[in-house]
Amino acid sequence: NLQCRVSGPSNIRPGQTFDIGVEVANNGNGDATAVVLQIDIPEGVGHGEGAGGFIEFPIDRIEPGQTISQSFQFTAIGPGSIRRACGLSSADGPGGSCDIQILAAEVRLRIVKDGRGTMFLGQQGEYQIAVGNAGNASATNIVIEDALPAGLRFVSASDGGQWDGSK
């Protein structure tokens, strides 16, 4: 009666290397021999052998009540949801399976500046800076700086915008 449990981070960043821990337990009353732990590697995840595919980790024998732990290192190649599935097989009977869901989160800010292209002397102009996040992670502590062109004078800003004349 083989069981597995997988652990690892729930959130990572693209390009980040991360560890996955796998525990294989024999909850039966006899030895489990010729056990093979197979870890599926989805596209978009790198490991020492490349990207995608699977890793097979052989375990000669697991005694009753014994738990074997092993750690594997991977790299998230891009953003998205990563499902890491692990399967067990044994010469002595059915294996088990387990999985973990990991989010490779990415912030992708999009900044658009829009306003009047031509203004006349003494005329007040207005322009907007819109910020959007097309990524799958929250963006926090964002500071947007924009230079005021020569010959213009700052009047006001909305949504907490401030003028810093020292820059």
Side-chain angles (χ1 to χ4, degrees):
N1 185 13
L2 292 175
Q3 292 183 335
C4 70
R5 187 174 80 82
V6 63
S7 61
S10 57
N11 289 294
I12 56 174
R13 297 278 186 211
Q16 180 180 345
T17 298
F18 61 99
D19 291 328
I20 295 292
V22 181
E23 292 181 352
V24 179
N26 181 356
N27 295 325
N29 53 13
D31 286 355
T33 59
V35 176
V36 176
L37 167 64
Q38 181 173 314
I39 302 173
D40 292 331
I41 313 296
E43 291 300 320
V45 175
H47 56 90
E49 306 298 317
F54 61 90
I55 294 174
E56 285 191 348
F57 181 75
I59 304 169
D60 291 334
R61 186 180 98 189
I62 305 176
E63 297 175 0
Q66 183 181 15
T67 299
I68 304 287
S69 297
Q70 183 64 39
S71 182
F72 301 90
Q73 195 170 70
F74 301 97
T75 301
I77 295 172
S81 183
I82 301 168
R83 180 177 174 265
R84 174 81 57 240
C86 301
L88 296 170
S89 62
S90 170
D92 303 306
S97 64
C98 54
D99 66 4
I100 187 172
Q101 196 75 25
I102 300 169
L103 177 63
E106 177 180 56
V107 173
R108 286 193 324 216
L109 294 180
R110 192 177 121 238
I111 301 173
V112 177
K113 181 176 172 180
D114 187 28
R116 208 181 313 173
T118 304
M119 290 190 301
F120 298 101
L121 187 62
Q123 180 183 27
Q124 190 166 330
E126 183 178 302
Y127 68 94
Q128 295 81 33
I129 298 176
V131 180
N133 180 5
N136 58 359
S138 296
T140 58
N141 299 319
I142 298 169
V143 175
I144 299 170
E145 293 183 359
D146 189 36
L148 188 63
L152 295 182
R153 182 176 54 88
F154 177 80
V155 176
S156 68
S158 64
D159 299 321
Q162 299 174 6
W163 166 251
D164 182 351
S166 66
K167 293 186 179 190

